[in-house]
């Protein structure tokens, strides 16, 4: 147990991020148990290990899954180097993200990120964490960007600074989750621009979002960041919706 854990407990771990029941205190607990009560934790599913680039689950060939890029990534390499997510979207993870996003519960971000981020899988060594930006209009309505809240929580784990002014959403887009798959690429195409090319150039970046639905949004963000000269872009989200 680190020196800070009792302090973190006092600040953050008072209530379950999924259902708000008080959590038991003390004892040796995992990051997941510091975020979720037992009932909620039982609904949290970690994704199966997948494609080394996009994270999509791989189809087992001859009973064994080989770790490598999937067929889609080999055919059309994504602009990001890797993509990881902590959980499948659903159950208490979905509840926690909704409370963060629509309930204004920014305090959910810290314990949720510590539970969802498994650094050993995701890697390290980023120069900056870039949250997927909201359009200013949506930001004004909601009051905060959930991806930024998650990025700040992740910064506490990875020690990489958060960069909120390097990437901008220049037009509002319909939520990807409400569109059929065929319209999702077009919906976000050209929606983002790099505002600080001088900062982005040569940097290893970690792009962060709350939920990845298809990779269309992260694909587009990573594309403009790479085009502006970023050395690499890795993608991390709390959750991923399964097709
Ligand atoms: Zn709970
Ligand atoms: Zn892939």
């Amino acid at each position: 147990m680190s020196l800070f854990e009792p302090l973190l407990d006092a600040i953050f771990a008072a209530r379950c991020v999924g259902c708000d029941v008080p959590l038991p205190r003390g004892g040796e607990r995992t990051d997941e148990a510091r975020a979720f009560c037992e009932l909620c934790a039982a609904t949290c599913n970690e994704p199966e290990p997948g494609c080394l680039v996009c994270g999509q689950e791989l189809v087992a060939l001859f009973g064994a899954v080989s770790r490598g890029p999937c067929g889609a990534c080999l055919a059309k390499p994504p602009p990001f180097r890797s993509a990881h997510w902590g959980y499948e979207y659903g159950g208490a993870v979905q509840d926690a993200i909704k409370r963060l996003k629509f309930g204004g519960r920014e305090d959910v971000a810290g314990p949720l990120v510590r539970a969802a981020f498994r650094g050993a899988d995701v890697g390290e060594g980023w120069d900056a964490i870039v949250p997927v930006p909201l359009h200013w209009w949506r930001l004004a309505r909601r009051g905060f960007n959930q991806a930024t809240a998650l990025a700040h929580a992740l910064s506490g784990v990875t020690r990489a600074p958060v960069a909120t002014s390097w990437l901008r959403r220049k037009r509002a887009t319909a939520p990807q989750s409400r569109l059929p798959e065929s319209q999702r690429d077009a919906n976000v195409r050209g929606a983002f621009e790099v505002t600080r090319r001088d900062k982005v150039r040569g940097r290893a970046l970690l792009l962060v979002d709350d939920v990845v639905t298809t990779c269309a949004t992260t694909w587009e963000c990573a594309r403009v960041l790479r085009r502006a000269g970023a050395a690499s872009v890795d993608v991390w989200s709390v959750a991923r919706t399964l097709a």
Side-chain angles (χ1 to χ4, degrees):
M1 179 182 277
S2 87
L3 199 61
F4 295 108
E5 283 184 23
L7 182 66
L8 291 175
D9 262 8
I11 298 169
F12 293 114
R15 290 178 176 275
C16 170
V17 298
C19 71
D20 222 25
V21 301
L23 292 172
R25 286 175 172 278
E28 288 291 319
R29 286 183 294 144
T30 62
D31 286 332
E32 188 168 274
R34 288 169 193 279
F36 293 100
C37 71
E38 271 185 50
L39 286 176
C40 284
T43 71
C44 296
N45 295 315
E46 292 180 19
E48 296 291 323
C51 164
L52 284 183
V53 181
C54 70
Q56 197 68 261
E57 274 182 50
L58 294 169
V59 180
L61 286 175
F62 309 112
V65 174
S66 67
R67 294 308 310 279
C70 69
C73 287
L74 284 173
K76 188 183 174 196
F80 45 83
R81 184 171 64 176
S82 72
H84 289 91
W85 25 88
Y87 293 108
E88 293 171 10
Y89 189 61
V93 172
Q94 183 170 351
D95 294 338
I97 289 172
K98 282 188 172 163
R99 296 171 75 227
L100 169 68
K101 209 162 165 173
F102 305 113
R105 289 289 301 270
E106 284 185 76
D107 57 313
V108 162
L112 182 61
V113 161
R114 284 193 295 278
F117 185 77
R118 288 174 285 277
D121 298 337
V122 185
E124 56 184 11
W126 301 286
D127 296 313
I129 301 173
V130 178
V132 170
L134 282 183
H135 187 251
W136 65 266
W137 179 79
R138 193 162 278 150
L139 185 63
R141 278 186 56 187
R142 195 176 292 163
F144 76 107
N145 179 357
Q146 73 281 356
T148 303
L150 294 167
H152 280 294
L154 196 54
S155 178
V157 180
T158 64
R159 303 286 162 219
V162 179
T164 55
S165 63
W166 298 3
L167 183 66
R168 186 173 82 92
R169 193 185 290 247
K170 54 183 174 174
R171 63 177 168 81
T173 52
Q176 292 288 81
S177 55
R178 289 197 208 141
L179 294 175
E181 180 118 24
S182 59
Q183 289 174 25
R184 287 175 176 173
D185 283 347
N187 182 44
V188 293
R189 188 90 187 169
F192 299 93
E193 71 178 348
V194 170
T195 42
R196 295 297 306 268
R197 297 179 87 87
D198 57 322
K199 297 281 190 188
V200 163
R201 195 168 301 126
R203 296 290 160 83
L205 304 176
L206 180 61
L207 182 68
V208 169
D209 208 352
D210 54 342
V211 186
V212 167
T213 305
T214 64
C215 275
T217 304
T218 43
W219 188 293
E220 183 63 10
C221 288
R223 190 181 70 80
V224 297
L225 288 166
R226 288 301 306 282
R227 182 168 281 187
S232 62
V233 177
D234 295 300
V235 174
W236 185 80
S237 66
V238 169
R240 157 100 198 199
T241 57
L242 294 179

